[in-house]
């Protein structure tokens, strides 16, 4: 039997994911003034049109606001559940992001899932096996610290101190780096992806 808290958590995840379904874009790259700027990267600007939600809070400024107007006070009562995804037992708390019509979320020990925003079909799942890999490094706490998106990669931090970049289409690791010194423990804040290029 599910607890009320778990049901509410699942409902929140599904509600956010459904809301993001209207935010899909092609994730295409366009030419602007001689430089290539990815659609998802432009979406990180606080003044963006809201087609994607590529960061925690949608933009670098973490506004948690969507400028989209398809849902408003006149039609919000007509909203209903379109699809749902069951998350496994454990800590389902997550801060989903959306890029190019795919919702990405991490729950439990940083298990990342990619979900088609229109159909609700899980495209891929990646489990970094944090408890097995951690030894004494397992962070004193429970749950994922969120995910980030940068240049075709979904980035997650594990509770044993690894930072892992996953290919957005396959969910396969592109690179992994240990961020803690041997024997050191850390309770990390949620991570962000930033570019040093102008």
């Amino acid at each position: 039997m599910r607890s009320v808290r778990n049901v509410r958590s699942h409902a929140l995840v599904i509600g956010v994911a459904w809301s993001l379904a209207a935010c899909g874009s092609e994730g295409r790259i366009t030419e602007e003034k001689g430089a290539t700027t990815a659609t998802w990267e432009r979406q990180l600007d606080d003044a963006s049109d809201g087609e994607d939600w590529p960061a925690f809070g949608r933009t670098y400024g973490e506004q948690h606001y969507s400028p989209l107007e398809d849902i408003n006070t006149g039609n919000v009562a007509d909203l209903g559940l379109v699809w749902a995804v069951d998350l496994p037992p454990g800590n389902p708390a997550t801060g989903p992001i959306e890029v190019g019509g795919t919702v990405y979320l991490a729950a439990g020990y940083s298990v990342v899932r990619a979900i088609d925003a229109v159909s609700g079909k899980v495209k891929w799942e990646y489990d970094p096996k944090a408890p097995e890999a951690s030894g004494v490094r397992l962070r004193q706490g429970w749950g994922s610290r969120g995910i980030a998106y940068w240049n075709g990669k979904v980035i997650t931090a594990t509770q044993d101190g690894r930072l892992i970049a996953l290919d957005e289409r396959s969910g396969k690791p592109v690179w992994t780096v240990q961020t803690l010194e041997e024997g050191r423990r850390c309770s990390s804040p949620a991570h962000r992806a930033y570019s040093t290029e102008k």
Side-chain angles (χ1 to χ4, degrees):
M1 185 169 129
R2 292 183 178 173
S3 70
V4 172
R5 183 176 176 193
N6 282 344
V7 170
R8 285 183 184 155
S9 295
H10 287 272
L12 175 62
V13 168
I14 302 310
V16 171
W18 185 85
S19 297
L20 292 175
C23 302
S25 75
E26 295 301 313
R28 62 199 171 276
I29 295 177
T30 57
E31 294 291 327
E32 289 184 356
K33 298 181 184 176
T36 27
T37 304
T39 300
W40 63 267
E41 191 172 7
R42 287 195 313 275
Q43 289 296 317
L44 288 167
D45 186 84
D46 287 345
S48 67
D49 61 15
E51 278 192 38
D52 283 331
W53 195 284
F56 179 77
R58 187 178 68 85
T59 64
Y60 280 139
E62 297 184 3
Q63 297 176 331
H64 296 270
Y65 168 77
S66 173
L68 299 178
E69 298 177 351
D70 292 346
I71 300 171
N72 55 52
T73 56
N75 63 17
V76 70
D78 299 331
L79 294 179
L81 183 65
V82 175
W83 54 262
V85 173
D86 285 327
L87 298 176
N91 186 347
T94 186
I97 59 176
E98 181 277 340
V99 178
T102 300
V103 175
Y104 301 96
L105 55 91
Y109 284 110
S110 301
V111 177
V112 180
R113 290 171 183 83
I115 303 166
D116 182 272
V118 175
S119 70
K121 178 184 175 197
V122 177
K123 294 178 170 184
W124 54 258
E125 177 179 304
Y126 174 76
D127 184 350
K129 306 283 187 202
E132 294 90 332
S134 67
V136 296
R137 287 187 210 205
L138 189 61
R139 186 176 157 268
Q140 295 176 344
W142 172 254
S144 170
R145 297 302 297 162
I147 53 178
Y149 182 92
W150 192 257
N151 197 22
K153 291 175 263 323
V154 179
I155 302 167
T156 188
T158 64
Q159 294 200 17
D160 62 305
R162 287 176 290 155
L163 192 62
I164 303 171
L166 307 171
D167 178 82
E168 69 176 321
R169 288 188 168 77
S170 69
K172 303 288 185 204
V174 175
W175 53 259
T176 301
V177 64
Q178 177 55 254
T179 63
L180 297 177
E181 295 173 14
E182 187 64 37
R184 186 164 181 208
R185 297 180 194 176
C186 179
S187 179
S188 66
H191 45 282
R192 306 292 188 262
Y194 296 101
S195 174
T196 57
E197 298 176 11
K198 293 282 181 180

